[in-house]
Amino acid sequence: MNSHFTRQTLATASFIAVCLATGASAQALEPQGFEPQGKVECLAPADPGGGWDFTCRSVGNVLETLDLVPRSVQTVNMPGASGGVAFAHVVSKRAGEEQLLIAASTATTTRLAQDQFNGMSADMVTWLGAVGADFGVIAVASDSDFQNLNELMDALREEPSSISFGGGSSKGGWDHLKVLMAAREAGIEDLPAIKYLPYTGGGEALTQVVGGHITAFTGDVSEVLGFAASGDLRVLAVLADQRLEGDLADFPTAREQGLDVVGVNWRGFYMPADVPEEAEAYWVDALDTLYASDEWQQVMTSNGLIPFDMQGEEFEAFVNQQIEDIHQLSAEIGLIQP
């Protein structure tokens, strides 16, 4: 095992673990002079069925239930470039809009870390907060010959190009990185030979795997639950430090199969730049209130999310640090120039 690589790949997970252990949470801000009026829009930078779509729709439902919005939250799907199309749209056309939320995750910071958003940077938007985190998974169709992660890694070791992976991020994005992290830990040296096919969302990638068009899916726990429950998908490994609880306890971890890989994907939101301070404060407070609610805790439990509550300035600092960490990791794997 490459210890230097492991330290870097787990840097983000370690940061989250510290936050959980210390109970870190941004101090809720009291709204001053702003309350949303009429329609609130949530932009999901992928097709329906993936993680960003899940974030918008599930958070929107709870915001409505808690009367934190005056009407329904409209989810608008805008796929393309693993979030790049939506990011560019927000930066160039939606500055100052007070009632626009955009779903984001580690996939977002990964592309920013790799300078994949065409010269745009994290400081061009307003970072609001995270309301949970999702562990990564590697899964195959239920009729696949692969019964566990080691069998899949053995096939990759014998012929790296023989296995095709699909995920909802671009090549070099967070879903792709999860596979490379596992393969590197398994001692596979020819990482560039591993086939990864990018789709516009996790839902499309899952459909391709279940349909037998590609070998394996790489994504997050919340994306696979429906297919796993229906018996169409076999989860080979969850990239968590230990088994999840409840209905998710049957999913084995990579660690228990001898591969010390943890992949944590936070789920949260940003807003356009130049929104008034009182509007930003309202949404920071709204996310904090949502996270503390019984309704949201039930959503987290049902979808395998782990506790991760961070808003406002603290969340912005976390985003910037994660971008730096992933930049270093991407350089070490060879996805970008050091």
Side-chain angles (χ1 to χ4, degrees):
M1 181 175 69
N2 186 316
S3 60
H4 176 58
F5 175 80
T6 301
R7 286 195 299 272
Q8 284 198 331
T9 59
L10 300 183
T12 298
S14 297
F15 186 95
I16 290 178
V18 170
C19 292
L20 296 178
T22 59
S25 175
Q27 186 70 29
L29 300 176
E30 293 297 328
Q32 298 177 357
F34 171 83
E35 288 188 5
Q37 304 293 324
K39 182 184 71 174
V40 173
E41 181 179 338
C42 188
L43 193 60
D47 285 330
W52 285 326
D53 184 70
F54 160 79
T55 302
C56 272
R57 295 183 190 278
S58 58
V59 168
N61 287 338
V62 177
L63 288 174
E64 295 168 23
T65 299
L66 299 177
D67 292 326
L68 294 170
V69 291
R71 290 163 46 187
S72 62
V73 176
Q74 179 184 2
T75 295
V76 177
N77 295 93
M78 185 176 289
S82 289
V85 171
F87 198 92
H89 171 76
V90 172
V91 169
S92 63
K93 298 182 179 179
R94 308 295 293 272
E97 293 198 18
E98 303 171 342
Q99 298 189 183
L100 173 64
L101 308 176
I102 305 93
S105 64
T106 304
T108 312
T109 48
T110 296
R111 304 312 278 166
L112 287 167
Q114 297 169 344
D115 297 322
Q116 295 296 321
F117 283 179
N118 296 320
M120 292 175 288
S121 59
D123 60 3
M124 294 180 177
V125 298
T126 300
W127 297 93
L128 288 178
V131 292
D134 214 349
F135 283 118
V137 294
I138 295 176
V140 295
S142 58
D143 59 357
S144 170
D145 292 334
F146 297 110
Q147 300 297 316
N148 57 60
L149 184 61
N150 285 319
E151 290 182 1
L152 186 66
M153 291 297 116
D154 288 343
L156 277 177
R157 190 178 297 105
E158 183 175 343
E159 179 52 63
S161 63
S162 66
I163 306 298
S164 55
F165 293 87
S169 71
S170 296
K171 187 173 183 179
W174 182 237
D175 288 338
H176 188 190
L177 277 180
K178 295 169 195 171
V179 173
L180 298 181
M181 288 160 57
R184 178 73 173 264
E185 185 69 11
I188 298 168
E189 296 182 356
D190 192 6
L191 298 180
I194 297 174
K195 292 181 180 178
Y196 174 80
L197 303 175
Y199 292 90
T200 55
E204 183 182 0
L206 281 164
T207 300
Q208 295 298 309
V209 172
V210 171
H213 304 294
I214 56 178
T215 311
F217 172 77
T218 168
D220 295 310
V221 169
S222 64
E223 296 178 297
V224 304
L225 294 180
F227 284 98
S230 66
D232 293 314
L233 200 71
R234 177 185 302 134
V235 176
L236 299 184
V238 177
L239 306 185
D241 53 348
Q242 59 186 4
R243 285 211 182 197
L244 303 180
E245 299 179 353
D247 295 340
L248 311 177
D250 290 337
F251 298 160
T253 68
R255 276 187 169 180
E256 68 188 70
Q257 298 176 74
L259 299 180
D260 191 8
V261 180
V262 175
V264 183
N265 183 18
W266 58 263
R267 297 206 171 277
F269 298 90
Y270 64 87
M271 288 187 72
D274 301 326
V275 296
E277 290 184 5
E278 58 269 21
E280 178 184 352
Y282 180 89
W283 291 115
V284 167
D285 185 65
L287 291 183
D288 198 50
T289 299
L290 173 138
Y291 186 88
S293 70
D294 292 339
E295 290 84 352
W296 182 248
Q297 294 303 311
Q298 181 58 49
V299 170
M300 290 178 62
T301 300
S302 300
N303 291 278
L305 298 183
I306 62 172
F308 187 36
D309 178 25
M310 185 181 292
Q311 287 88 34
E313 293 181 358
E314 185 179 17
F315 178 63
E316 181 180 5
F318 165 76
V319 165
N320 289 327
Q321 182 62 53
Q322 188 178 59
I323 289 171
E324 181 179 333
D325 291 343
I326 294 176
H327 181 87
Q328 294 176 1
L329 167 61
S330 299
E332 182 175 346
I333 293 177
L335 293 173
I336 62 174
Q337 292 297 318

